[in-house]
Amino acid sequence: MDEIVRVESVTRRFPLNHDRTRNLVSALNDVSLHVRAGEFLAIAGPSGSGKTTLLNLIGCIDQPTTGRVLIDGVETSKLNPGRLAVLRRQKIGFVFQTFNLIPVFTAAENVEYPLLIQGLSSHERRTRVAEALESVGLSARAGHRPDLLSGGERQRVAVARAIVHRPALVLADEPTANLDSHNATQLIDLMHGLNQRLGLTFIFSTHDARLLDHTDRIVHLRDGTVESDCRMHAKNLIEGGRHGQVLASSLS
């Protein structure tokens, strides 16, 4: 399978004050990661380990201090803001911890919003929205606003919005943080099902150990570095090592 994400020796430092040359704190240190199309990957680690920073770099929301990030073969640091926006819009879907739904929009209107930005026809928008909502089991709730949906339903709307423009890659930052155990498990199984049926690549961050049994590959971060890169086969973790070879996911 083709490589969709390549992170090469990435470091990300942030200033602690207005002096951007001193008192820098490192969120990531010499991180490398290769992800092939179709993988279902969790980035795990405690709070402050660098999970969100790494997702922001992969999602073209931020740029590394040193090193390179390539999305589908394109080096993000060489793109201007306009071209970065196009890359995000075409290649990447986002699922946020706090849902980030527009409260005055219905579920269908929230899912449709990315397609309006792309300028698709109304017929194409309606077709894609219906397909996306059906894929997350919310066709019957299409006309409901977020305040009339449960937390699990709101996060499923967020997933539908993330996939409606048919991206190559979906990024989810702590997608189950605001869900109870039942809804969290349902959501991760839903995303895994979309990964298998549609071939979508999913990368999500979590520090919830209950969710890790549902993933195919787990990259553990600690203090801004890759502590381990593990694969799950028949519910056994196979240690890949920090510099182990990245293989195509084995989906069952």
Side-chain angles (χ1 to χ4, degrees), residues 57 60 63-64 69-71 74-79 84 87:
L57 294 176
C60 307
Q63 292 290 331
V69 177
L70 292 88
I71 303 299
V74 178
E75 186 174 346
T76 60
S77 62
K78 293 185 176 180
L79 301 180
L84 273 175
L87 179 65

Side-chain angles (χ1 to χ4, degrees), residues 10-170:
V10 158
T11 297
R12 184 66 176 103
R13 299 187 183 97
F14 296 95
L16 289 177
N17 50 44
H18 296 297
D19 185 349
R20 294 183 173 270
T21 62
R22 296 183 179 182
N23 299 321
L24 298 178
V25 59
S26 292
L28 294 174
N29 294 289
D30 194 28
V31 169
S32 294
L33 176 68
H34 301 171
V35 181
R36 295 196 178 276
E39 288 204 66
F40 193 73
L41 166 67
I43 299 174
S47 297
S49 60
K51 302 186 302 295
T52 297
T53 300
L54 181 56
L55 281 186
N56 286 345
L57 294 176
I58 295 172
C60 307
I61 296 172
D62 194 13
Q63 292 290 331
T65 305
T66 62
R68 300 197 307 162
V69 177
L70 292 88
I71 303 299
D72 206 13
V74 178
E75 186 174 346
T76 60
S77 62
K78 293 185 176 180
L79 301 180
N80 62 36
R83 292 181 65 191
L84 273 175
V86 171
L87 179 65
R88 283 194 300 269
R89 192 162 62 236
Q90 294 179 345
K91 298 285 187 179
I92 305 173
F94 294 91
V95 179
F96 301 97
Q97 174 181 155
T98 53
F99 317 137
N100 283 9
L101 301 179
I102 300 173
V104 297
F105 282 8
T106 65
E109 289 167 341
N110 269 283
V111 175
E112 183 184 19
Y113 190 69
L115 304 180
L116 288 169
I117 297 173
Q118 288 189 339
L120 297 183
S121 69
S122 59
H123 174 73
E124 180 68 13
R125 294 199 307 268
R126 285 195 300 271
T127 299
R128 290 201 189 188
V129 168
E131 290 174 351
L133 286 172
E134 182 179 5
S135 72
V136 300
L138 285 180
S139 296
R141 309 287 278 172
H144 291 70
R145 289 193 300 270
D147 61 331
L148 298 177
L149 301 174
S150 69
E153 288 172 333
R154 276 178 266 174
Q155 195 60 297
R156 280 190 279 160
V157 172
V159 172
R161 181 182 58 191
I163 67 172
V164 72
H165 62 295
R166 300 171 184 170
L169 171 66
V170 177

Side-chain angles (χ1 to χ4, degrees), residues 133-231:
L133 286 172
E134 182 179 5
S135 72
V136 300
L138 285 180
S139 296
R141 309 287 278 172
H144 291 70
R145 289 193 300 270
D147 61 331
L148 298 177
L149 301 174
S150 69
E153 288 172 333
R154 276 178 266 174
Q155 195 60 297
R156 280 190 279 160
V157 172
V159 172
R161 181 182 58 191
I163 67 172
V164 72
H165 62 295
R166 300 171 184 170
L169 171 66
V170 177
L171 303 177
D173 187 15
E174 299 278 5
T176 61
N178 294 320
L179 302 179
D180 59 30
S181 294
H182 175 71
N183 280 313
T185 301
Q186 280 196 331
L187 179 69
I188 211 73
D189 286 342
L190 168 66
M191 293 195 300
H192 204 177
L194 292 170
N195 161 259
Q196 293 180 311
R197 292 198 312 272
L198 304 179
L200 286 172
T201 306
F202 276 84
I203 303 176
F204 62 94
S205 67
T206 184
H207 61 264
D208 189 343
R210 297 169 300 177
L211 305 182
L212 299 181
D213 284 344
H214 298 260
T215 65
D216 301 321
R217 178 182 171 195
I218 306 168
V219 174
H220 286 271
L221 296 183
R222 184 173 295 277
D223 298 328
T225 63
V226 176
E227 186 176 54
S228 64
D229 190 344
C230 309
R231 291 189 176 279

